[in-house]
Amino acid sequence: MSIAEKFASMEYGPAPEDPKEAATWLDRHNRRFALFIDGGWREPQNKEYFDTVDPSTGEKLATVAQGGPADIDAAVKAARDAAPKWRALTCHMRARYLYALARLVQKHSRLLAVLETMDNGKPIRESRDIDIPLVARHFYYHAGWAQLLDQEFPDYEPCGVVGQVIPWNFPLLMLAWKIAPALATGNTVVLKPAEFTPLTALAFAELCQEGGLPSGVVNIITGDGSTGEALVKHPDVDKIAFTGSTEVGRAIRGATAATHKRLSLELGGKSPFIIFEDADLDSAVEGLVDGIWFNQGQVCCAGSRLLMQESIADTLLSKIRDRMSTLRMGPPLDKAIDVGAIVAQVQLDRIQSMVAQGIAEGAHCWQPQTALPPRGLYYPPTLLSNVHPTSIVAQQEIFGPVLAAMTFRTPIEAIELANNTVYGLASCVWSESINVALHVAAQIKAGVVWVNCTNMFDAACGFGGYRESGYGREGGREGLLEYLEPKWFKHAPKLSPSAAPAPLEPSQAETSTPAIDRTVKLYVGGRQARPDSGYSMEVRSADGQLLGEAPLGNRKDIRNAVEAARKAAGWAKATVHNRAQVLYYCAENLGLRRTEIIQRLATAVGTKQAALEVDLGIQRIFSYAAWADKFDGAVHNPPFRNIAIAMNEAIGTVGVICPAEAPLLGFLSLVLPLLALGNTVVAVPSEKYPLITGDLYQLFDTSDMPAGAINIVTGYVSQLLKTLAEHDDVDAIWCYGDDALVASTKAMSVGNLKQAWTNEGRIIDWFDPNIAEGRWFLEHASQVKNIWVPYGE
Ligand code: NAI
């Protein structure tokens, strides 16, 4: 027998990682864990516990406390009490604590990896080589941000007390993604790990003790969904950060709608894995192994939808089947295992049932002839081909080792199929042509695009979704902003309910000005349009004078406006220079009409405010024209042979409920950052003076603004908001008003999980450019997409 033949016929021997240290650690705790509150261990007040088991054996590992509302309350109090001191530390001191945590993770890395594998079922190769090193990297990276915080974010403050709820697929890594940026920015934390995988979070609590972290800065409350719910609903939590299913994300959006909690959501995905005919197919197949069989496919950004160019489909499927046959499934503590156990019976049932549904819908199922281990929860690597794009297995997250394969013919078709999903977390593009790959990458609606690579993560590169995959980013500079608020915003006073602040000068001063009878129209798709209702609303000054009539828009008008805005998506593709030019032109035209607009606006807000609104309005337009070609992204240098290009992309179509108090300047302050970055807008102008619409469309009409980029529908906000907030083709909603209006906006927009950005009922001084313009607005008008491109041979 030749060496090659021997090599091919050799069997793998067992190569188990020794679980002794982890067992000793568990025994040291008598395999029973209380809650980590205020730096110490506390029994749960209801005395309830639950078991956590090793899914690869079914053996119980430990008993863990089931935290209830009273425990959450105690943890939040501890975090609140710890907050002022933690915040008052110097940046350098906080950096030292984070650095200590990074060192401790490294020091205990093997224990943490083994514990993770035992609790979750993932191969030790992954927890040892990927999860835990990334955890350490995350703390190191954020130790750096803690050090630089005052220099880089001088005008920001921490949110305060942060509630964090994480899933079971990357238990310690998700903890790191949540806790490191929160601490670096001066927040204190209550974190709830997933019920299937609490152990490494409890080990981390011990590291916090070992590192001397001040009591109460980190609190860990174990428990199930009801514990998470109690945390989300606790009134003294300032921000919620959640990773998990889209369904629970939606419930959390609903549960926080009537509050002022900041929210970031990292939810599910159905990420496309696109392979072009010119790709290096063997590398692409290796990528796929990582893309869908890494962590048994229980990965939010798993490349679960394979889109193959038709010409290579048969060759590729055959290569995939060959490679699948070599994947080794078995005890996850074995160092030579590729596919470990599924986390829990409920998840295994879910995978089985979805695959059965896919087959019933016509998919062909192929699985390698590998024997399943005799005990434990296992599901074999699975290839579903002949999948219809509308099938459940092409549309819904399976969260298991199941690949659904489809074909495409042209790049355009690939992009269409890739975007044919409610999700938008990640994607892969494989092509040897950098032109094709980057062309496609730019058009995929997803927060991450991996070109000729997959599942690359680094603390410096933000991660997060588009659409129903959630919003907010974790990692990078943008990830920090999720835990910070501008000082002025945090301390801004509240608007009194439904009463806009008085104009700078009472409008009675204008009683001598005759009312100007004007019939203004709506502005939809670049045209002046009559309202569907055929009615108009009277617009009166504060002292009751009739100023004119504005059309009474209804839901049909909003729908038409949204359709027009969708059609104008080309605005996002206009060059930044072109967008800047159009905005400068708007400023020029506002300047030309200055006197007449001041005169009209004065009837509602007084001459002084009207003049200020117009003059500052011209400046504001200049500012955003200036920003249009300067709000650049970044190029990250992660510690591998990759660059990650972080692009600031438009969100899409954004609905804007403008503030009542400054009819022109408020409108411009919100609409312009959106337009500058390529969004299309449907705006409802100030109810107080909707007649401004007539001046605005004249401005846009004469400034080469493309039809549909900005649409204006006047009417009663109470009647228009619902249609705009609920509309599935609206990607984000901005609402500036009192508490009640803001709460309705958040509640009504839960459906497609669109981003909702509001003033949280606070007064914004539109007349102060240090507050009312700049990066804070631009950051909300865009979302970051990271495109990873490898280099080298
Ligand atoms: P899940 O979304 O229910 O659980 C995630 C976390 O949220 C856990 O800590 C859980 O205890 C907590 N939670 C549950 N209900 C809550 C509530 N009402 N309020 C606050 N916290 C709550 O995910 P689950 O049930 O573990 O998995 C179900 C499916 O979700 C999976 O099959 C998978 O498709 C998807 N999933 C997606 C993840 C992702 O990262 N995208 C992660 C985990 C699950």
Side-chain angles (χ1 to χ4, degrees):
M1 197 189 269
S2 71
I3 290 182
E5 282 166 341
K6 271 192 182 162
F7 189 74
S9 63
M10 258 181 350
E11 278 298 318
Y12 283 87
E17 172 75 34
D18 189 352
K20 208 169 65 212
E21 268 213 45
T24 310
W25 182 82
L26 288 168
D27 291 340
R28 187 152 52 78
H29 288 274
N30 296 322
R31 297 198 175 239
R32 191 166 187 278
F33 292 87
L35 304 166
F36 185 67
I37 299 175
D38 206 14
W41 298 97
R42 283 197 206 164
E43 291 289 315
Q45 298 199 14
N46 55 13
K47 307 277 183 266
E48 278 179 33
Y49 281 79
F50 64 96
D51 291 344
T52 184
V53 294
D54 179 340
S56 70
T57 61
E59 281 166 14
K60 174 178 153 184
L61 294 169
T63 300
V64 177
Q66 163 70 32
D71 306 303
I72 290 287
D73 191 46
V76 171
K77 277 204 178 76
R80 177 64 65 199
D81 290 347
K85 269 197 192 154
W86 179 245
R87 227 192 98 195
L89 288 181
T90 62
C91 289
H92 178 62
M93 282 309 291
R94 277 198 300 271
R96 280 187 181 214
Y97 282 117
L98 280 147
Y99 185 74
L101 287 171
R103 301 291 286 191
L104 285 165
V105 167
Q106 272 186 325
K107 193 167 135 194
H108 297 286
S109 60
R110 194 53 68 93
L111 168 69
L112 294 169
V114 175
L115 265 183
E116 197 77 303
T117 285
M118 288 165 73
D119 209 12
N120 167 280
K122 62 171 68 200
I124 185 71
R125 201 168 47 80
E126 293 177 7
S127 48
R128 182 196 61 197
D129 298 345
I130 299 171
D131 291 49
I132 307 303
L134 281 173
V135 171
R137 162 88 181 125
H138 223 76
F139 278 101
Y140 279 124
Y141 175 80
H142 284 93
W145 273 125
Q147 174 74 24
L148 301 178
L149 195 74
D150 280 356
Q151 286 168 37
E152 287 294 304
F153 296 93
D155 302 323
Y156 287 80
E157 276 187 19
C159 293
V161 172
V162 180
Q164 304 180 318
V165 179
I166 56 172
W168 40 260
N169 52 347
F170 293 91
L172 194 63
L173 186 57
M174 289 302 104
L175 174 148
W177 281 23
K178 296 278 178 292
I179 290 187
L183 297 193
T185 43
N187 298 275
T188 56
V189 165
V190 178
L191 176 131
K192 191 204 85 68
E195 50 272 49
F196 299 140
T197 55
L199 292 180
T200 45
L202 296 165
F204 180 81
E206 253 188 13
L207 299 189
C208 293
Q209 286 180 319
E210 199 179 331
L213 196 72
S215 297
V217 170
V218 168
N219 304 274
I220 309 277
I221 304 292
T222 48
D224 59 11
S226 67
T227 316
E229 200 178 334
L231 179 54
V232 165
K233 291 190 173 159
H234 194 288
D236 200 28
V237 169
D238 300 301
K239 179 200 158 75
I240 295 291
F242 172 77
T243 299
S245 61
T246 294
E247 190 192 346
V248 173
R250 198 172 270 123
I252 292 177
R253 257 297 291 269
T256 53
T259 73
H260 295 304
K261 289 179 182 131
R262 286 273 299 278
L263 190 57
S264 49
L265 299 172
E266 203 265 87
L267 309 175
K270 193 77 197 176
S271 300
F273 195 104
I274 307 171
I275 306 182
F276 284 94
E277 60 189 3
D278 68 346
D280 171 349
L281 294 191
D282 293 319
S283 299
V285 170
E286 280 315 303
L288 209 45
V289 170
D290 265 350
I292 186 64
W293 293 302
F294 172 53
N295 200 17
Q296 295 70 250
Q298 302 167 128
V299 182
C300 51
C301 54
S304 53
R305 272 191 304 147
L306 172 62
L307 307 179
M308 318 169 274
Q309 198 150 18
E310 204 172 68
S311 50
I312 49 151
D314 290 342
T315 318
L316 188 64
L317 287 175
S318 150
K319 279 178 186 283
I320 293 170
R321 284 191 292 262
D322 286 350
R323 183 65 180 91
M324 286 169 76
S325 304
T326 67
L327 290 173
R328 300 194 68 236
M329 186 168 45
L333 274 178
D334 188 320
K335 288 171 225 163
I337 282 299
D338 301 306
V339 181
I342 300 295
V343 73
Q345 186 65 47
V346 52
Q347 188 62 19
L348 184 59
D349 294 345
R350 187 185 145 92
I351 297 168
Q352 282 164 342
S353 117
M354 287 187 75
V355 170
Q357 280 188 69
I359 294 170
E361 286 174 1
H364 300 162
C365 178
W366 189 89
Q367 294 170 333
Q369 296 303 310
T370 331
L372 290 184
R375 59 179 189 156
L377 307 172
Y378 289 92
Y379 193 85
T382 300
L383 172 64
L384 297 176
S385 53
N386 196 40
V387 172
H388 193 274
T390 58
S391 167
I392 183 170
V393 290
Q395 289 295 331
Q396 288 186 23
E397 187 172 45
I398 300 177
F399 231 59
V402 182
L403 181 63
M406 284 152 270
T407 57
F408 67 87
R409 289 187 186 165
T410 61
I412 292 175
E413 211 178 293
I415 293 161
E416 264 176 28
L417 276 173
N419 289 336
N420 178 24
T421 170
V422 294
Y423 296 113
L425 195 51
S427 55
C428 282
V429 183
W430 290 77
S431 164
E432 288 298 289
S433 159
I434 191 79
N435 289 4
V436 170
L438 292 182
H439 172 73
V440 172
Q443 295 179 73
I444 294 179
K445 294 192 181 349
V448 180
V449 186
W450 289 295
V451 172
N452 294 336
C453 58
T454 189
N455 275 345
M456 310 294 277
F457 306 101
D458 184 53
C461 308
F463 183 88
Y466 281 31
R467 300 167 157 184
E468 294 190 22
S469 290
Y471 47 80
R473 294 290 179 267
E474 298 190 285
R477 187 185 177 94
E478 59 269 31
L480 294 183
L481 287 170
E482 297 296 330
Y483 290 95
L484 290 168
E485 272 185 352
K487 284 181 182 155
W488 66 262
F489 186 72
K490 205 156 178 200
H491 301 289
K494 284 281 182 157
L495 272 170
S496 53
S498 66
L504 296 183
E505 184 184 323
S507 59
Q508 287 90 307
E510 306 309 318
T511 42
S512 58
T513 313
I516 301 168
D517 183 30
R518 302 179 72 214
T519 306
V520 167
K521 299 212 179 76
L522 308 177
Y523 188 55
V524 175
R527 289 217 181 89
Q528 297 176 28
R530 290 183 195 288
D532 171 71
S533 70
Y535 289 106
S536 48
M537 61 198 274
E538 286 185 349
V539 181
R540 292 185 178 274
S541 64
D543 57 2
Q545 277 192 65
L546 182 66
L547 302 180
E549 300 214 330
L552 193 62
N554 65 14
R555 52 182 199 279
K556 178 115 195 334
D557 299 309
I558 289 283
R559 286 189 196 127
N560 291 343
V562 172
E563 200 183 326
R566 292 308 277 191
K567 283 194 187 138
W571 175 242
K573 293 184 185 149
T575 66
V576 287
H577 176 71
N578 178 233
R579 286 205 294 265
Q581 291 293 300
V582 172
L583 294 190
Y584 279 124
Y585 203 4
C586 287
E588 208 178 293
N589 284 319
L590 183 55
L592 284 175
R593 299 208 175 88
R594 180 180 181 277
T595 314
E596 46 165 323
I597 294 178
I598 291 176
Q599 200 187 11
R600 278 193 287 272
L601 185 55
T603 59
V605 299
T607 310
K608 190 171 159 203
Q609 177 170 333
L612 262 177
E613 285 202 45
V614 174
D615 292 340
L616 285 172
I618 295 169
Q619 290 186 39
R620 199 131 302 163
I621 306 178
F622 254 67
S623 284
Y624 286 110
W627 273 117
D629 57 5
K630 290 171 196 66
F631 192 62
D632 290 331
V635 178
H636 299 301
N637 300 294
F640 339 99
R641 287 190 313 175
N642 264 275
I643 50 166
I645 309 164
M647 318 249 308
N648 292 327
E649 286 197 345
I651 296 170
T653 295
V654 182
V656 180
I657 304 292
C658 296
E661 60 270 18
L664 177 67
L665 192 58
F667 178 101
L668 294 175
S669 302
L670 294 177
V671 167
L672 288 172
L674 287 163
L675 290 176
L677 299 189
N679 297 281
T680 59
V681 178
V682 175
V684 178
S686 161
E687 224 177 79
K688 177 176 177 178
Y689 186 65
L691 299 175
I692 195 69
T693 304
D695 294 310
L696 286 165
Y697 57 60
Q698 276 176 9
L699 195 70
F700 295 126
D701 268 346
T702 48
S703 308
D704 293 343
M705 182 67 74
I710 166 74
N711 305 275
I712 310 174
V713 180
T714 56
Y716 296 112
V717 170
S718 56
Q719 289 168 15
L720 301 178
L721 172 64
K722 188 168 185 297
T723 316
L724 196 54
E726 284 179 354
H727 205 301
D728 278 344
D729 276 342
V730 172
D731 302 295
I733 179 121
W734 290 13
C735 174
Y736 276 65
D738 62 27
D739 268 344
L741 189 68
V742 161
S744 328
T745 306
K746 290 191 204 169
M748 287 169 183
S749 55
V750 168
N752 72 346
L753 284 170
K754 59 176 70 68
Q755 303 184 24
W757 190 47
T758 76
N759 60 331
E760 301 297 345
R762 291 172 198 162
I763 294 174
I764 309 291
D765 183 354
W766 302 107
F767 299 88
D768 181 352
N770 293 317
I771 285 176
E773 65 179 56
R775 282 191 177 272
W776 179 245
F777 291 83
L778 292 159
E779 275 148 6
H780 286 91
S782 57
Q783 49 195 346
V784 181
K785 175 193 272 180
N786 271 283
I787 303 176
W788 291 68
V789 185
Y791 56 83
E793 277 300 305

